[in-house]
Amino acid sequence: MKLFNKFGFTSVNESSSRSRRKFLRNLAQAGVLLPLAGSMLGQRVLAQGGSAQRVLFLYYPNGVVPYNWVPQQGPGSISGSQELSFGLGPLSSWHNRLIVLQNLTLDIGDGAGAHYNDMRGILTGNNQIGYGSASIDHLIAEQLGSEGVLSLGVRTGNRSDIMISKPRNVESGARPIPNNDPADAAQKLAVGISGGGGGGGTGGNDPDKQAYYDAILDDFDSLADVTLENAQRDKLTLHENALKRLRDLAGNQVGECSFNTNVMSDPYYASSSPLSPTEWQMFPHLARAQVDNIVGAFSCGLHRVATLQLSKGDENGNLVNYSYDECWQMAQDAISQGVQHSNGSGPVGPMTRWYNEFASHSASHRPGDVPHTAQVRWYHSLLAYTLQQLENKGLLDDTLVVMFSEVGDGSKHGGAAGAVTLAGGAGGALQMGRIINCGDGINNGQRIYGTHQLFGDIARYMGVNSLPENHWSGGVV
């Protein structure tokens, strides 16, 4: 009942249309229902415009083969729905939800080009970060509330000094290992929605709060008719998804806020023993299960900031072999399409399946061989999967997903050819569907923009306008 009193509502039984609108208006003024208030209460309620409500930092290892990742069309608005490049191909249906940042400098501090330095520095902006400072995900989360960062991983290994996310008051060499087990993560997240549960969407503990959401849900159709009738067409989808967001907050009454705890568990994430092809085949399924956990946490309002670390740069100690079925098929596609690794080169060449490579690192230094080209495409297929899951939950329009690696050109190391994709939306405040050139892609060459600026921009779109480190400046998007 305290929740309702705080927002000007005295009783659950006081369920008139007028009182419900008053309740929503007060929630909106408190910033709880952005961007929902604009659609249900009129744009005058919120003069500040749109913003992002959630952000996912999505890491993949060992960079790209630039020639078959960089978009074939030049900077500017993305035209058409064709594949932008082989590496970005799985995102062809999401062009209007992307900002492709080609040759973005990866600002990691001294020692750029050494994978472990780069992993320590990619989210901190300085791989020599001290005990009292934190990575950008934590800097954003600590200004948004008490939820903190949801930090998940897939086959990251157990070296604390090369995890990409760092909380405050933790030595840089003793960073927490993200939860690598999707089943365990789902079970722990389910505790946050009504005392645990088996993935059935058990809802909130407060029956008064649940009953009041039920009353609001009864008004959805009439409210939509009234508030959306005269809205501009380009806002209709945003409003619709905002309504879905409120619906999800109702938890078990609509079955949207839930976690599937019957997913694959991973006992091998830190294995030091040789794995088998069967165990390598688990990787894509584990990755999608962790994405589902993050989208579930976003949908249930448990977290607004998440980081997903997919394996690690350099050799991964036999934890991942990129010949699992999905990636192997993409390798065959690259060969059949005659994909090249550089201008004027021959097509990428085949390799024996399950060859003794064990990582993306060795492959990244052989851009003429197909494995690295294929695994970059697979990682971008995971981004496409993530966008689809967010869309299914009505979260895509005000959730930012930033996908990045610790190096740019995997064969040359260094951060000049950073291949970064920003996807999703910021409540209409950020123009999507474009390509931005950020430099010449040559180490020690021309720099226009870097991750110091991009991550500063992301913080600003999340409503965080003051960061303790001056290097998070902004200005890219």
Side-chain angles (χ1 to χ4, degrees), residues 33-72:
L33 295 183
L34 291 171
L36 182 63
S39 61
M40 300 184 84
L41 306 171
Q43 295 298 321
R44 289 179 296 176
V45 173
L46 298 170
Q48 69 267 36
S51 63
Q53 295 301 300
R54 294 156 230 96
V55 61
L56 166 59
F57 292 92
L58 179 57
Y59 163 86
Y60 66 98
N62 295 318
V64 301
V65 180
Y67 187 74
N68 48 46
W69 181 90
V70 170
Q72 295 172 359

Side-chain angles (χ1 to χ4, degrees), residues 240-370:
E240 178 185 2
N241 287 335
L243 289 171
K244 290 179 184 177
R245 175 66 185 140
L246 179 61
R247 182 194 66 185
D248 285 355
L249 290 176
N252 64 341
Q253 302 322 91
V254 294
E256 292 291 335
C257 178
S258 63
F259 295 94
N260 178 13
T261 57
N262 297 315
V263 296
M264 183 180 291
S265 184
D266 187 17
Y268 308 111
Y269 80 90
S271 176
S272 58
S273 301
L275 300 184
S276 69
T278 299
E279 290 153 355
W280 287 322
Q281 292 277 18
M282 295 169 64
F283 184 79
H285 306 286
L286 294 167
R288 285 189 288 269
Q290 293 291 50
V291 167
D292 292 345
N293 281 333
I294 290 169
V295 173
F298 283 168
S299 180
C300 295
L302 300 179
H303 292 273
R304 294 179 62 190
V305 181
T307 299
L308 177 55
Q309 179 171 335
L310 300 166
S311 190
K312 69 182 188 69
D314 207 330
E315 298 297 334
N316 67 35
N318 191 34
L319 294 172
V320 187
N321 186 308
Y322 292 89
S323 288
Y324 49 82
D325 289 347
E326 295 172 21
C327 203
W328 180 251
Q329 182 56 55
M330 291 178 180
Q332 308 320 299
D333 293 342
I335 294 169
S336 66
Q337 293 175 29
V339 170
Q340 298 177 312
H341 67 86
S342 61
N343 188 22
S345 71
V348 291
M351 294 288 289
T352 301
R353 192 171 186 179
W354 305 122
Y355 64 101
N356 189 24
E357 189 262 319
F358 297 150
S360 60
H361 183 232
S362 296
S364 72
H365 285 276
R366 298 193 302 272
D369 295 337
V370 73

Side-chain angles (χ1 to χ4, degrees), residues 45 87 104 108 171 181 189 259 275 335 340 387 413 432 463 468:
V45 173
L104 183 77
I108 61 93
E171 294 292 351
D181 190 326
L189 287 166
F259 295 94
L275 300 184
I335 294 169
Q340 298 177 312
L387 299 181
H413 286 204
M432 307 303 288

Side-chain angles (χ1 to χ4, degrees), residues 6-276:
K6 177 178 179 181
F7 293 115
F9 181 63
T10 58
S11 170
V12 174
N13 295 325
E14 183 192 340
S15 58
S16 70
S17 176
R18 180 179 179 183
S19 67
R20 289 195 288 274
R21 285 169 174 77
K22 178 181 178 183
F23 178 67
L24 289 170
R25 183 178 294 107
N26 290 339
L27 284 174
Q29 290 171 340
V32 176
L33 295 183
L34 291 171
L36 182 63
S39 61
M40 300 184 84
L41 306 171
Q43 295 298 321
R44 289 179 296 176
V45 173
L46 298 170
Q48 69 267 36
S51 63
Q53 295 301 300
R54 294 156 230 96
V55 61
L56 166 59
F57 292 92
L58 179 57
Y59 163 86
Y60 66 98
N62 295 318
V64 301
V65 180
Y67 187 74
N68 48 46
W69 181 90
V70 170
Q72 295 172 359
Q73 70 175 77
S77 297
I78 298 175
S79 58
S81 59
Q82 72 286 350
E83 292 193 3
L84 292 174
S85 65
F86 186 80
L88 291 166
L91 296 166
S92 60
S93 61
W94 299 100
H95 285 178
N96 63 338
R97 304 287 191 155
L98 305 178
I99 298 177
V100 179
L101 300 127
Q102 63 184 41
N103 297 329
L104 183 77
T105 296
L106 307 176
D107 296 312
I108 61 93
D110 294 337
H115 288 279
Y116 292 166
N117 281 345
D118 298 342
M119 294 184 69
R120 285 187 283 267
I122 188 63
L123 286 185
T124 63
N126 173 15
N127 64 71
Q128 302 297 319
I129 188 172
Y131 174 85
S133 192
S135 52
I136 188 67
D137 51 343
H138 287 277
L139 295 178
I140 293 172
E142 67 187 18
Q143 295 197 42
L144 297 180
S146 60
E147 297 94 345
V149 175
L150 175 58
S151 182
L152 301 182
V154 182
R155 301 272 169 99
T156 64
N158 57 6
R159 277 195 57 169
S160 294
D161 62 324
I162 58 171
M163 299 298 111
I164 62 171
S165 182
K166 180 194 175 299
R168 284 190 190 276
N169 302 324
V170 170
E171 294 292 351
S172 189
R175 303 181 184 202
I177 305 295
N179 190 329
N180 274 248
D181 190 326
D184 181 69
Q187 290 165 1
K188 289 175 178 175
L189 287 166
V191 171
I193 53 168
S194 177
T202 51
N205 284 321
D206 188 339
D208 288 332
K209 180 178 178 182
Q210 190 68 63
Y212 197 67
Y213 279 134
D214 281 342
I216 295 173
L217 285 165
D218 288 339
D219 275 356
F220 266 13
D221 290 339
S222 59
L223 284 172
D225 289 341
V226 171
T227 59
L228 296 183
E229 184 178 13
N230 297 317
Q232 295 180 354
R233 183 168 299 276
D234 62 355
K235 293 290 185 181
L236 290 179
T237 300
L238 177 64
H239 297 328
E240 178 185 2
N241 287 335
L243 289 171
K244 290 179 184 177
R245 175 66 185 140
L246 179 61
R247 182 194 66 185
D248 285 355
L249 290 176
N252 64 341
Q253 302 322 91
V254 294
E256 292 291 335
C257 178
S258 63
F259 295 94
N260 178 13
T261 57
N262 297 315
V263 296
M264 183 180 291
S265 184
D266 187 17
Y268 308 111
Y269 80 90
S271 176
S272 58
S273 301
L275 300 184
S276 69

